[in-house]
Amino acid sequence: LLLLCHTEEAAVIVSGLRNTDVFVGESATFTCELSHPGVKNVQWWLDGTPLHNNLVTEISEQDGRIHTLTLNDVACHDSGTVTFRAGSLISTAKLLVKGISLLA
C-alpha cells in the first residue's frame, strides 16, 4: 500500500531563546533552533515592535533551522522582551541591559 498523501510533521522549537544580560554598548545575541527548515513567516520582536535587518539589528538564518538575532551597541532602553515567531511557534526571552556604574 502506497501512501500518496504525505503530511509533513510540523516543525518544533528544538532550542529556544535564553535570557541575556549585557552591559551598555555591548552586543546581545539570541538564537532559536527549529527541528526542520521551511517554516514561513519568521519574525523577531522587541517589546512588541517588529525588528528588521539594519546596522544595529542583525537577523540571520542558517540551514533554515537556526535563526539568530544580534542587537549591536545596546542601550538601557533596549531592555525588554525579545520574541521569535515562526508560523505558530513562539519563543521569548528577557534582555537586560545594565548600565556601567562610574562609582565603582
Side-chain angles (χ1 to χ4, degrees):
L1 180 65
L2 185 63
L3 289 176
L4 297 175
C5 157
H6 172 70
T7 57
E8 187 178 324
E9 62 178 298
V12 294
I13 293 175
V14 177
S15 169
L17 304 183
R18 291 193 172 88
N19 292 346
T20 302
D21 293 10
V22 293
F23 287 103
V24 168
E26 291 183 339
S27 295
T29 300
F30 295 87
T31 302
C32 191
E33 183 180 345
L34 303 178
S35 57
H36 46 267
V39 179
K40 302 277 188 276
N41 302 327
V42 172
Q43 178 70 60
W44 290 91
W45 310 76
L46 177 58
D47 273 348
T49 302
L51 298 174
H52 303 284
N53 228 348
N54 55 41
L55 289 173
V56 291
T57 307
E58 294 175 39
I59 297 171
S60 64
E61 160 182 323
Q62 189 180 335
D63 303 330
R65 292 176 47 240
I66 300 170
H67 297 266
T68 305
L69 167 70
T70 301
L71 301 171
N72 294 310
D73 194 22
V74 295
C76 287
H77 66 259
D78 291 320
S79 291
T81 302
V82 173
T83 303
F84 170 80
R85 188 168 188 168
S88 61
L89 303 174
I90 296 177
S91 181
T92 62
K94 295 284 187 196
L95 169 61
L96 177 61
V97 180
K98 299 181 279 196
I100 298 167
S101 172
L102 299 175
L103 304 172

